[in-house]
Amino acid sequence: MKKCETCDPSGAETSCVVIGKHHKDISYTKRVLGVLLIYVPILTLPFVLFSAYVSYFHLKLMGAEKVKTLKDYLPDRNSYRYNYSSQIVMQPGYRLSPTQSKLFWILNCTWYCPFSVGLFEWHAYLVKLVENWWCPFHHERKESHYREGAIDRSFWHIFPEDIVKLDPQDRDNPIWNEDAKGAPDH
C-alpha cells in the first residue's frame, strides 16, 4: 500500500500512524525502553506457532483442502534487498549499540520481522477459516475482515435440515457458501 492511499501529505489522516515526525523529540530513556519492548513478543512466537499449527491440523482433519501454509506468508529469501555483505548499518547512538552490527540488522530484518508478520497473518487467516467453517453467522466485520478465509460451505451448509434454519443473510453469504451469488473464487 502506498502512502497516498492511507494518508494525506500532512500525515493528519486518522488511518495513518504518525511515529517518525516526533521520534527525535522523545527522551533517550523512552527510546531505549521502546526498543527493548520490540523483542518481548519473541517469547510469544512458540505459542502462536503452536496455536497456528493446531488450527491448521484441525482444518485438515475436518477435510479442508487448499489451506495456505506458513510458507505462503513468508517472503522469498531472494526478495531481500540486503545480504550480510551488503547490509547497511546505522551510526551508533552509543559505543556498544547493536545498530552498528550487520548481524543485528540481518537477524532483525530478514528473520524476526518477516517471520513474525508472516506467522501472525497466517494465524489470523486460519482463525478466519475456522470461524467461517463453524460460525457462518453475520456480524458487522464479517464482510470486511473474513473474506480472506472464504470457504466452499460451512458446517451449517452441509445438511439440508440445517440450511433452512439459517437466516437468509447467513444462508446466502458467498464467504461461506459457494452456491450464493457473487461467491469468491477459491
Side-chain angles (χ1 to χ4, degrees):
M1 185 174 295
K2 296 179 181 177
K3 180 176 175 33
C4 59
E5 294 173 358
T6 59
C7 303
D8 67 22
S10 69
E13 177 70 31
T14 58
S15 65
C16 179
V17 174
V18 177
I19 188 170
K21 284 183 180 181
H22 309 293
H23 181 73
K24 290 181 180 179
D25 301 330
I26 297 170
S27 74
Y28 179 75
T29 305
K30 281 185 175 181
R31 284 189 273 165
V32 169
L33 179 59
V35 168
L36 293 174
L37 292 178
I38 293 169
Y39 299 104
V40 173
I42 287 175
L43 301 173
T44 69
L45 292 180
F47 300 102
V48 176
L49 192 62
F50 177 77
S51 179
Y53 272 106
V54 167
S55 299
Y56 177 80
F57 288 119
H58 159 73
L59 290 163
K60 297 301 272 181
L61 289 170
M62 294 291 103
E65 298 175 353
K66 300 181 183 179
V67 179
K68 294 178 186 177
T69 65
L70 176 57
K71 185 178 178 184
D72 295 315
Y73 287 86
L74 299 176
D76 184 348
R77 288 288 296 143
N78 294 329
S79 70
Y80 289 101
R81 183 175 314 280
Y82 303 107
N83 58 33
Y84 188 79
S85 62
S86 66
Q87 179 61 52
I88 59 173
V89 297
M90 297 184 81
Q91 292 299 320
Y94 54 94
R95 190 168 161 224
L96 298 175
S97 172
T99 62
Q100 59 193 334
S101 163
K102 288 184 177 188
L103 183 60
F104 170 80
W105 291 108
I106 290 291
L107 290 175
N108 232 3
C109 302
T110 62
W111 186 83
Y112 176 57
C113 292
F115 181 79
S116 298
V117 170
L119 175 60
F120 281 96
E121 285 183 338
W122 182 52
H123 192 254
Y125 158 75
L126 293 170
V127 171
K128 291 172 189 178
L129 289 172
V130 170
E131 167 92 5
N132 287 340
W133 166 246
W134 289 111
C135 303
F137 311 125
H138 176 78
H139 60 65
E140 69 177 333
R141 297 182 64 98
K142 284 281 187 155
E143 187 60 36
S144 60
H145 288 77
Y146 288 69
R147 187 165 286 282
E148 179 195 16
I151 60 176
D152 60 344
R153 270 181 201 84
S154 80
F155 179 76
W156 288 82
H157 288 82
I158 296 172
F159 305 103
E161 62 273 15
D162 291 325
I163 294 173
V164 297
K165 297 174 189 174
L166 293 170
D167 180 279
Q169 193 174 14
D170 297 331
R171 182 188 63 232
D172 301 328
N173 192 313
I175 295 174
W176 50 75
N177 180 2
E178 69 182 356
D179 297 331
K181 282 183 163 183
D185 293 330
H186 299 291

